[in-house]
């Protein structure tokens, strides 16, 4: 496909640890309900899933945050739960209760009954959105594609929706690990195929959201969350070697060394981690992305500035102490922006990053 040349390479440069003029910044869930224009477009579409499936409107909401803020990357507008939906579980959203599935996966027959799909057929609306957004960006900033990690997707499929304690998923882990492994194997193959299809459609970087890896013990994290992600990363390196991959395990800050063994281009980290310490640990082996607590955006603007500056100081001090060049940070929140955020507060975070001299 023929796309316009990229004008702002800051995000890709930081990912590759090349020199940068300032820290690139974007926000997880930057297109979403904290923006009144998002809510208006969602109302036009009917509901959230209809919005994801409408190429023009999905493209419109992906661009909305870029009109308001000086961001260095855009992200596909979709959801991680498109994969279990395409596998036949029947995804729907109950207002105020988050995602739900009409069917769950709790035994081997149910794993075997999951549908196999080809992304460009069953999830053609996702790849269409990727291509449309890439064109609409006109080379202004790069486009990130994404998927959930196999473990994170499995939790929703086993529980039938969101969960506090992952009781059913963990019961499966400890009573029928062979069923969980079979499910994770199926998901690893589908996620890899899904991400490669997004790259073919125009995605210039990829992020794997392992939102619930941090709910596991160390050993179980390696077996059931990290190892399936490693398989995906191996396949991505073989099929699209030029496309950088960000691996984000929320709550995984104690396991950065283990995560590095999967050879991601960047590790996403949440706010429980001290950035300078994380830099000490990874050195120049990969880039880092994060990590302001999104709840800080619910508070005072002076404090948003202060906390953002501290975060950047901490990272770049870590670089100086090790004699490493000042690059390799992608400023972001430590998790998705909440719907309760005032967009002007998000702007303070972004402007503070943009004005910070490295
Ligand atoms: O970052 C972006 O702007 C791109 C869009 C994006 C969405 N979901 C849109 C969305 C991305 C990257 C996701 C990822 C996602 N989805 C994750 C991983 C990241 C994370 O937050 O840990 C997870 C776990 C999901 C599953 C999911 N989708 C949940 C739990 C919910 C409900 C959230 C809630 O607060 O009710 C969704 C719905 C969803 N996905 C919305 C958006 C904008 C809100 C739906 C709406 O408009 O009503």
């Amino acid at each position: 496909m023929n796309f316009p040349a990229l004008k702002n390479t800051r995000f890709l440069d930081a990912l590759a640890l090349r020199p940068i003029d300032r820290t690139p910044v974007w926000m997880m869930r930057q297109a979403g309900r904290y923006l009144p224009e998002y809510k208006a477009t969602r109302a036009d579409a009917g509901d959230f899933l209809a919005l994801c499936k409408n190429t023009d409107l999905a493209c419109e909401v992906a661009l909305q945050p870029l009109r308001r803020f000086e961001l260095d990357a855009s992200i596909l507008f979709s959801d991680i739960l498109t994969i279990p939906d395409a596998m036949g579980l029947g995804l729907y959203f109950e207002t105020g209760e988050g995602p739900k599935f009409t069917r769950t996966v709790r035994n081997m027959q149910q794993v075997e009954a999951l549908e196999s799909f080809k992304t460009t057929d069953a999830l053609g609306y996702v790849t269409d959105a990727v291509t449309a957004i890439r064109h609409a960006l006109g080379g202004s900033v790069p486009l990130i594609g994404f998927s959930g990690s196999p473990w994170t997707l499995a939790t929703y499929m086993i529980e039938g929706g969101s969960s506090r304690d992952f009781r059913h998923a963990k019961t499966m882990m400890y009573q029928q690990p062979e069923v969980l492994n079979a499910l994770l194997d199926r998901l690893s193959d589908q996620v890899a195929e899904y991400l490669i299809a997004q790259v073919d459609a125009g995605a210039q970087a990829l992020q794997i959201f392992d939102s619930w890896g941090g709910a596991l013990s160390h050993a179980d994290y390696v077996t059931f969350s990290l190892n399936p992600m490693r398989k995906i990363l191996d396949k991505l390196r073989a099929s699209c070697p030029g496309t950088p991959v960000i691996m984000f395990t929320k709550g995984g800050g104690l396991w950065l060394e283990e995560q590095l063994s999967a050879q991601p281009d960047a590790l996403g980290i949440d706010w429980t981690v001290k950035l300078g310490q994380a830099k000490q640990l990874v050195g120049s082996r990969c880039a880092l992305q994060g990590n302001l607590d999104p709840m800080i955006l619910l508070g005072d603007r002076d404090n948003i500035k202060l906390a953002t500056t501290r975060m950047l100081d901490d990272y770049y001090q870590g670089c100086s102490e090790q004699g490493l060049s000042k690059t390799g940070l992608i400023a972001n929140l430590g998790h998705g922006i909440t719907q309760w955020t005032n967009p002007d507060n998000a702007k303070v975070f972004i402007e503070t990053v943009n004005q910070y001299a490295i």
Side-chain angles (χ1 to χ4, degrees):
M1 258 172 274
N2 224 340
F3 295 112
L6 189 59
K7 293 167 203 146
N8 175 348
T9 61
R10 214 172 265 126
F11 168 77
L12 296 177
D13 289 337
L15 273 173
L17 298 152
R18 289 189 291 262
I20 43 161
D21 57 346
R22 63 163 178 79
T23 312
V25 58
W26 70 282
M27 297 185 298
M28 290 188 272
R29 293 275 189 103
Q30 62 192 20
R33 284 166 295 182
Y34 74 108
L35 294 177
E37 59 271 34
Y38 168 85
K39 285 199 249 181
T41 310
R42 189 186 60 180
D44 290 343
D47 58 41
F48 170 66
L49 277 180
L51 179 57
C52 292
K53 292 177 183 179
N54 182 317
T55 310
D56 290 343
L57 297 184
C59 185
E60 161 61 23
V61 293
L63 294 188
Q64 285 171 348
L66 297 154
R67 292 193 195 114
R68 266 187 191 257
F69 313 123
E70 218 180 299
L71 296 159
D72 297 299
S74 63
I75 181 159
L76 161 69
F77 188 80
S78 189
D79 198 79
I80 63 166
L81 300 176
T82 52
I83 287 185
D85 191 39
M87 290 175 125
L89 294 192
L91 173 66
Y92 64 101
F93 283 84
E94 203 94 77
T95 322
E97 283 183 58
K100 290 228 185 331
F101 288 108
T102 49
R103 285 169 289 282
T104 54
V105 180
R106 299 210 177 146
N107 58 46
M108 197 59 101
Q109 289 93 306
Q110 287 165 338
V111 174
E112 283 161 2
L114 289 169
E115 286 166 35
S116 292
F117 67 85
K118 196 165 167 280
T119 296
T120 45
D121 299 335
L123 293 174
Y125 68 90
V126 176
T127 43
D128 286 350
V130 169
T131 306
I133 298 165
R134 175 83 187 266
H135 275 299
L137 287 168
S140 54
V141 292
L143 173 60
I144 307 166
F146 70 87
S147 169
S149 72
W151 161 249
T152 293
L153 295 177
T155 65
Y156 287 95
M157 296 168 81
I158 299 164
E159 302 290 337
S162 302
S163 170
R164 271 179 186 281
D165 55 7
F166 308 101
R167 180 163 66 91
H168 297 290
K170 288 193 176 181
T171 301
M172 184 188 283
M173 180 175 287
Y174 299 123
Q175 285 190 3
Q176 329 172 68
E178 67 289 353
V179 177
L180 181 59
N181 278 321
L183 175 58
L184 293 169
D185 279 346
R186 285 289 306 278
L187 285 168
S188 303
D189 290 343
Q190 288 283 195
V191 167
E193 192 267 344
Y194 183 62
L195 290 173
I196 293 164
Q198 290 183 33
V199 172
D200 290 342
Q204 291 153 289
L206 296 169
Q207 175 155 328
I208 301 176
F209 285 91
D210 185 28
S211 305
W212 305 124
L216 296 171
S217 69
H218 179 169
D220 292 328
Y221 170 70
V222 173
T223 308
F224 297 103
S225 178
L226 180 60
N227 285 344
M229 289 196 282
R230 189 194 313 280
K231 278 192 208 159
I232 295 166
L233 279 151
D234 287 346
K235 285 192 181 178
L236 292 174
R237 266 195 300 278
S239 297
C240 34
T243 308
V245 185
I246 304 163
M247 200 169 90
F248 171 49
T249 293
K250 183 167 170 286
L254 293 173
W255 310 320
L256 299 182
E257 189 63 52
E258 289 81 351
Q259 289 169 35
L260 272 175
S261 69
Q263 294 177 262
D265 296 273
L267 288 175
I269 54 178
D270 68 28
W271 56 90
T272 60
V273 176
K274 203 168 176 306
L275 258 183
Q277 262 172 19
K279 181 64 180 171
Q280 288 281 352
L281 192 138
V282 304
S284 47
R285 291 184 287 173
C286 76
L288 293 170
Q289 177 176 278
N291 71 339
L292 195 82
D293 183 349
M295 296 301 177
I296 288 178
L297 302 186
L298 302 182
D300 184 78
R301 293 198 187 147
D302 287 338
N303 190 55
I304 297 171
K305 253 189 213 166
L306 187 72
T308 305
T309 306
R310 275 197 188 135
M311 170 183 109
L312 297 165
D313 281 347
D314 188 21
Y315 179 83
Y316 289 112
Q317 252 160 41
C319 294
S320 301
E321 281 163 17
Q322 296 173 84
L324 297 173
S325 57
K326 291 188 171 183
T327 183
L329 177 65
I330 295 126
N332 205 316
L333 306 173
H335 199 200
I337 188 166
T338 83
Q339 61 173 309
W340 317 111
T341 309
N342 179 336
D344 290 335
N345 286 15
K347 194 175 187 128
V348 172
F349 164 65
I350 294 155
E351 283 180 349
T352 306
V353 178
N354 288 343
Q355 286 159 14
Y356 184 92
I358 59 173

